[in-house]
Amino acid sequence: MVQDGVLDHTMMRVEDLEESVDWYQTHLDYEEKRRIEHDTFTLVFLGPADVHDQGALLELTYNYDGRSYEMGDAWGHIAVRVPEGELQAAYDELMAGGVEDYRDPESCGGRYAFVKDPDGHEIELVQRDHGARWSLDHTMIRVEDADDVLGWYCRKLEYEPAGRWEADTFANYFVRPRGAAPEAMSVELTYNYDGRSYTMGDAWGHVAVRTDDLEGYWETLLTREAEDYRDPESCDFNYAFTKDPDGHEVEIVVR
């Protein structure tokens, strides 16, 4: 039985598939879990060898037409876990392996750090006492109306608050599936108080939530007034898509 709403993966688009796969395998010790090849694109799913059964994977999408991507600013980053007390050592390990120095622990008050992958996607290092090393802890997205989006995740997906951090100019709100294991991925909603708007770009694709009843879960979402973006029938009953209030795509999948 699959728990409805647990985050299954985060999808990002890359311009050189094998370079990106090698980067994640070399620096984050990821292994290739699944590869799906189509006529015009390839999907590769990556994660730690010992990822939890409720843990999320990283999906890399490569299109064969040689396109480039715009990062935009509506998506922020993915965050990966390192054990408590090992942030500096983990960052030093990445630096020694040739990863670009972006935001070291000292510049982040010793609480976290950031690196970038070959396509410029930001990756935060966070300290956790649960989950496999380098496993996905959360995906951060930026929102224009915190009340609206918090209500969307709590009502549509039945998520619950999982932490908040409020500063003078912005706030971070974490939401996660109700009853999910600590090892499951969360969503971080970042709200800036200055009223700015965001551009979606196309370097990021979506987050995906899992269910064992695609059509039933889809009908529940529609009953809760989620956007009917790509229904199961239009996707050959393999998956479906809705969008949150800011336009971030949310895929529904059966793992």
Side-chain angles (χ1 to χ4, degrees):
M1 184 74 173
V2 175
Q3 180 179 339
D4 283 346
V6 169
L7 287 149
D8 185 82
H9 63 265
T10 294
M11 187 275 266
M12 307 187 307
R13 297 183 179 95
V14 300
E15 297 183 15
D16 185 324
L17 179 61
E18 298 312 322
E19 179 186 15
S20 293
V21 169
D22 179 70
W23 191 92
Y24 282 96
Q25 290 178 328
T26 299
H27 300 298
L28 300 189
D29 298 325
Y30 279 11
E31 63 179 26
E32 187 172 317
K33 304 291 188 181
R34 186 165 74 255
R35 182 178 290 234
I36 303 173
E37 297 183 343
H38 294 273
D39 291 339
T40 59
F41 63 92
T42 293
L43 311 176
V44 177
F45 294 83
L46 302 164
D50 54 347
V51 64
H52 191 271
D53 62 2
Q54 289 191 17
L57 300 179
L58 179 66
E59 177 188 359
L60 302 182
T61 291
Y62 173 69
N63 291 291
Y64 300 161
D65 55 9
R67 74 183 75 173
S68 296
Y69 300 103
E70 295 295 330
M71 194 63 65
D73 57 1
W75 293 84
H77 60 259
I78 57 172
V80 298
R81 302 175 177 120
V82 299
E84 292 282 353
E86 297 184 20
L87 176 62
Q88 187 65 56
Y91 195 82
D92 291 344
E93 176 185 325
L94 294 176
M95 295 303 99
V99 174
E100 181 182 352
D101 185 4
Y102 179 44
R103 295 178 62 189
D104 63 16
E106 183 178 1
S107 70
C108 300
R111 301 188 304 274
Y112 48 85
F114 280 88
V115 297
K116 289 184 178 182
D117 75 3
D119 288 272
H121 298 99
E122 294 186 14
I123 303 168
E124 182 183 12
L125 279 62
V126 296
Q127 300 180 87
R128 297 289 186 260
D129 58 5
H130 56 264
R133 190 173 192 254
W134 304 125
S135 60
L136 289 174
D137 182 77
H138 63 265
T139 295
M140 187 274 267
I141 58 179
R142 297 185 178 93
V143 303
E144 296 183 12
D145 185 326
D147 293 337
D148 191 22
V149 178
L150 282 167
W152 190 92
Y153 278 92
C154 291
R155 179 167 180 250
K156 268 63 168 180
L157 301 185
E158 295 187 58
Y159 281 15
E160 60 185 9
R164 64 196 296 163
W165 186 57
E166 297 182 342
D168 291 338
T169 58
F170 68 94
N172 298 330
Y173 302 97
F174 292 84
V175 292
R176 57 186 290 107
R178 185 178 302 166
E183 293 85 355
M185 187 172 75
S186 301
V187 177
E188 178 187 2
L189 308 173
T190 291
Y191 173 64
N192 289 290
Y193 300 158
D194 56 8
R196 74 182 73 174
S197 296
Y198 302 102
T199 56
M200 192 61 63
D202 57 2
W204 295 85
H206 59 259
V207 292
V209 302
R210 67 176 78 155
T211 180
D212 60 2
D213 180 6
L214 178 61
E215 294 179 70
Y217 192 65
W218 182 251
E219 288 303 316
T220 297
L221 289 175
L222 294 187
T223 299
R224 295 172 181 165
E225 302 173 296
E227 181 177 341
D228 184 355
Y229 176 46
R230 297 176 61 189
D231 64 15
E233 183 176 5
S234 70
C235 302
D236 297 324
F237 296 99
N238 294 316
Y239 46 85
F241 279 87
T242 186
K243 290 184 179 182
D244 74 8
D246 288 275
H248 301 98
E249 294 186 11
V250 179
E251 182 182 15
I252 317 302
V253 299
V254 178
R255 179 183 281 194

